[in-house]
Each structure stands twice: as structure tokens, then as C-alpha cells.
Amino acid sequence: MPKETPRAAVLARARATLDGLEQLVGGMGTSALALIALTGVAAVAVACLAGVGLLLVPAALRGLRAVADRERARLSRSGPHILSPDPVPDGWRAAIRQPAAGRELLWMVQHATLGLAYPVIGLTLPFSAVRDLLYPLYWRLLPNSEVVNAGLGWRTDNWPGALAVSLLSVFWLVLALIFIPILARMQAWHGRRLLAADPSTDLALRVTQLTATRAAALDAHATELRRIERSLHDGTQNRIVAVNVLLGAARRALARAPATADEVLERAQDAAEQALAELRAVVRSILPPVLDERTLPDALSGLAASCPVPCEIDAEVPGRCPASVEATAYFVVAEALTNIAKHSKARRAKVTVRRTDDRLHLRIVDDGRGGAVEDGGSGLGGIRRRTEAHDGTFALSSPHGGPTTMNVSLPCGL
Ligand SMILES: Nc1ncnc2c1ncn2[C@@H]1O[C@H](COP(=O)(O)OP(=O)(O)OP(=O)(O)O)[C@@H](O)[C@H]1O
Ligand SMILES: [Mg+2]
């Protein structure tokens, strides 16, 4: 496998930093809402001490649920889907006893405090970099007291000092590249930990989720059958009808003008060969036979080799996964690479496959123009349905201007 070049590593880091910044700013919005919810809940708690606040408890928890749901939706856009719990009941006792209420209250406190601190720190770093970089342009305009010594150990009221300050921007930039992705992960971690449905207490939710994925599996199955039926009907069946008609014509020609029969038989043979080729293509699209002969990484390398956009495959998959999981992984990568070739205008793409904790993780990245949307066609929706049918997760990030990253995780079920 070719190693990542330093330039590609820096670009990847810069992208992760921009993604992190976007997530921190998004998280700052819900942090501000969490702060408002915290004030409301605190006011209701004080009113409860006077006895009159109990009636307001369900309303306060409903407000908190609305804020938590916004955060759930935000986190679901960049990772596994987080389901909202059952609605808050009407009575104050039942509302407080709801298992999700305690975790949402804890999340509210963390998100309104730490959740707000992370983006503030994260935004300060690039801001400081720009401020120091531009220092030589504006130091003359500053009042004397601010420029003589900025507490840096050198005088900043002259040109060498001002240029030394502008070099500090490199330091801030390096800090930003290192810490912004970490801060974004920490901010999301609290939400993922406290807002996700707890499988032991929220069994009803888990059943709802499984019912939804089972429906999606049946739907995907029906769509697949319809696709196979259309391919057989529009392709193979038409060719065999043509063979039949040509054979009839050949028989008549044998009786009337035997010299022309040979040409008609040749056309019938061509049509039979085309029918065979179509049939092979349909069979291949049901379960890729390449997975019978080769391992998943080899099969994916075959896909990458036929992709018009240069594509690197980085796969570490010890052993074999169940056939249905490998087939799903194969189709996911096939559709993603087709999309990259069709829509992305990318210069290169990379497919990373890992098997950890008995899950198969796929990551497909391209450096194209972005803007992929699930409801733009049937391919991405099909990937989600196939993945969820396996109880796996699908996440797509494709801001305008790129890059497009698709993360799919499939349980290997062993
Ligand atoms: N890698 C990508 N880069 C940029 N845009 C993309 C990418 N993948 C998908 N898109 C956009 O998202 C839309 C939806 O993709 P999807 O695969 O669902 O449909 P499609 O490729 O247009 O049609 P189908 O897959 O059903 O033949 C596409 O029409 C395209 O505009
Ligand atoms: Mg497509």
C-alpha cells in the first residue's frame, strides 16, 4: 500500500480542523440553547421549593427535550443516528422518573458549561493566529501602552518586534491544527454518551429501531427483487424473444430459400450470446462472484482499478466476514466509487477498510466538490437501507466544496 505523503497528511489535518471548527460552531448553537434551558430548569427548581413549581416540571423537561433533540439531530448528521426517547409524560412524577430525564439534565449542565467552553477555546486559536499575523499592519495604530511590551519578553513597538509577533501566528496555527479536532470530539462525546438511548433501560426504543431497520431490510429486498425483475424483463427476456423469432425465421428460410438461413441463424446466435452476457451481469449483481474467488480487499482493489478517478485502497481485514456483510461492503464501495466518478470531479479517492471490535468499518473519501445528498437519487438511500438492514450505521458528510466522506460500519455478527 502506498504511504500517505506529508502533503496529503497536512491536507487531511487541515480538513479535519475545518470539520472540527464547523462542528464546534454548530455545537455552540445548542450550547447557547442548553444555557437557556438550564436557566429555565433552575427557575422551576427554585419555584418547586416554594411548592408551586411542580406543575411546571413537565413543561420544563419538554423544553429541555426539544433542545436535546436538536443536539441529537446535529450529532446524527456526523455519526450514528441517535433516537429521541418517548415523549415526556404529563404528570410531574412520571416526567421525573423517565430514565432519559436524568441523563438529559446532566447533559444540559455539561453542554451549557463545558460545551460552550470548547468552541470558545477552539475559535480563539485561529482568531489569535490571524490577529498576530496581521500585527505588523496595525501596531502603529495602537496606543503606546499596548505596543511597548505585550508581555512577550520583547519590545513590540518596532518593526523587528512586530515581525516577531507575526511569527507567533505559526504557533497558534499549530495549536489550532492539533486541538480543534480534539475539542470537537470531546464536545460530541458528552452528547453521544448521555443522549444515546441506553439499551438496557430503553428496550422499547431498541424495538422501535429494529422494527424500522427490519422494514428497511424488507424494503431493500423488495427493491432488489424489482431491479432483478426489470433487468431480466427488459434485457434477457427481450434477447431470448429475439432468438425465438430469428429461429422461426430460420426454419421458414430453410424451407423456402436455404441460402439465407445461415445468415438468420448467425443473427440468432448473436442474440443468444447477448442474452447470456446480460444474464451473467444480472447474476453478478445479486452476489458478486468475485467474493467467492477473492478476499474482500482484493475484490475492492478490482473495483478501484476500474474506477476512472485514481483510488487508493487501504484494507486491513483479518479473516473473512459473513458473505452478506462482504457483499454489502462491496456494493457500498461500488456505489460510492460510481458516484465519485459520476458526480464528484475529484482528483483522488481513498477507501479505508478496518475490522475492529467485530465490526467492519468502511470509510470512502474523495477530494471532489461535495454536495452529496441522500435524496438526490436512489444510490445513497440504497446504501443507507442496505446498511441499516444489517443493523449497521451510515454517515455522510459532504459540505459544498468538498470533501465527501462516507462512513459505514457493519456488525460482523459472530
Ligand atoms: N461523491 C460525490 N460527490 C459529489 N456529489 C455527489 C457524490 N455522491 C453523490 N453526489 C450527489 O448526490 C446525489 C445523490 O446520489 P445518489 O447516488 O443517491 O444518486 P445518483 O448517483 O444521482 O443516481 P443513482 O445512484 O440512483 O443512479 C447525486 O445526484 C449527486 O448530485
Ligand atoms: Mg449514485
Side-chain angles (χ1 to χ4, degrees):
M1 295 285 156
K3 277 233 174 263
E4 205 174 32
T5 61
R7 185 169 169 270
V10 170
L11 276 181
R13 190 26 85 165
R15 278 193 191 127
T17 306
L18 285 179
D19 281 352
L21 212 54
E22 189 187 341
Q23 282 164 25
L24 283 172
V25 172
M28 196 153 100
T30 50
S31 288
L33 292 175
L35 194 60
I36 297 171
L38 179 64
T39 320
V41 169
V44 170
V46 172
C48 283
L49 294 179
V52 291
L54 289 177
L55 291 175
L56 294 174
V57 168
L61 291 181
R62 255 179 231 125
L64 171 58
R65 174 66 48 81
V67 176
D69 279 348
R70 284 191 86 89
E71 179 70 353
R72 285 188 180 97
R74 188 183 77 83
L75 294 173
S76 299
R77 281 196 289 276
S78 59
H81 190 69
I82 305 180
L83 281 175
S84 176
D86 286 340
V88 178
D90 284 334
W92 67 270
R93 271 179 222 277
I96 290 179
R97 280 200 197 122
Q98 218 193 12
R103 280 179 285 137
E104 283 180 351
L105 284 167
L106 200 57
W107 167 81
M108 173 186 72
V109 175
Q110 284 192 341
H111 201 56
T113 50
L114 281 176
L116 209 51
Y118 295 137
V120 170
I121 300 170
L123 287 171
T124 306
L125 298 173
F127 174 77
S128 303
V130 175
R131 185 200 58 200
D132 285 356
L133 183 70
L134 300 181
Y135 188 74
L137 297 183
Y138 66 81
W139 68 273
R140 280 170 169 282
L141 307 175
L142 294 177
N144 249 357
S145 55
E146 285 192 31
V147 290
V148 172
N149 184 340
L152 299 166
W154 67 75
R155 287 181 70 84
T156 58
D157 59 346
N158 50 36
W159 278 108
L163 289 174
V165 170
S166 82
L167 279 181
L168 267 183
S169 60
V170 178
F171 167 73
W172 293 120
L173 203 62
V174 171
L175 284 191
L177 288 172
I178 295 172
F179 285 109
I180 286 178
I182 296 175
L183 288 169
R185 274 202 297 277
M186 280 162 66
Q187 189 191 45
W189 180 73
H190 293 303
R192 292 211 168 276
R193 195 169 54 94
L194 293 167
L195 297 183
D198 175 2
S200 60
T201 51
D202 294 37
L203 274 179
L205 271 178
R206 184 77 186 124
V207 171
T208 315
Q209 192 183 34
L210 286 176
T211 311
T213 54
R214 197 182 72 131
L218 291 175
D219 202 28
H221 187 230
T223 313
E224 194 66 6
L225 284 181
R226 215 171 300 125
R227 186 185 63 74
I228 296 169
E229 187 241 355
R230 288 318 317 161
S231 312
L232 288 175
H233 177 273
D234 299 344
T236 324
Q237 184 178 318
N238 283 351
R239 305 263 178 237
I240 292 175
V241 168
V243 174
N244 200 18
V245 171
L246 286 167
L247 284 177
R251 279 184 66 192
R252 282 194 299 281
L254 270 178
R256 277 188 277 127
T260 56
D262 188 49
E263 185 206 330
V264 182
L265 278 173
E266 195 181 326
R267 282 171 56 205
Q269 194 178 10
D270 283 350
E273 272 166 16
Q274 282 173 5
L276 257 181
E278 298 243 354
L279 203 53
R280 269 196 211 107
V282 176
V283 170
R284 274 205 184 98
S285 70
I286 298 173
L287 261 191
V290 63
L291 287 172
D292 279 346
E293 301 145 17
R294 299 202 267 164
T295 61
L296 180 63
D298 290 344
L300 297 184
S301 300
L303 278 180
S306 57
C307 179
V309 176
C311 176
E312 181 192 338
I313 302 279
D314 172 10
E316 279 172 27
V317 189
R320 299 234 30 181
C321 302
S324 61
V325 174
E326 289 198 345
T328 301
Y330 182 87
F331 284 124
V332 165
V333 175
E335 171 59 19
L337 293 186
T338 308
N339 276 352
I340 289 172
K342 262 183 8 186
H343 311 293
S344 74
K345 294 207 161 48
R347 279 181 301 138
R348 61 176 68 88
K350 181 168 181 183
V351 178
T352 313
V353 191
R354 292 283 181 277
R355 185 174 176 176
T356 46
D357 303 331
D358 237 355
R359 287 183 84 87
L360 190 67
H361 302 277
L362 300 166
R363 184 180 171 85
I364 303 118
V365 189
D366 70 70
D367 62 355
R369 63 181 177 178
V373 278
E374 254 181 76
D375 48 10
S378 60
L380 293 175
I383 292 185
R384 179 181 283 283
R385 278 196 299 278
R386 268 183 195 270
T387 310
E388 288 181 348
H390 278 275
D391 215 10
T393 59
F394 167 81
L396 176 74
S397 152
S398 184
H400 283 286
T404 299
T405 307
M406 188 190 293
N407 281 301
V408 167
S409 164
L410 297 162
C412 291
L414 290 176

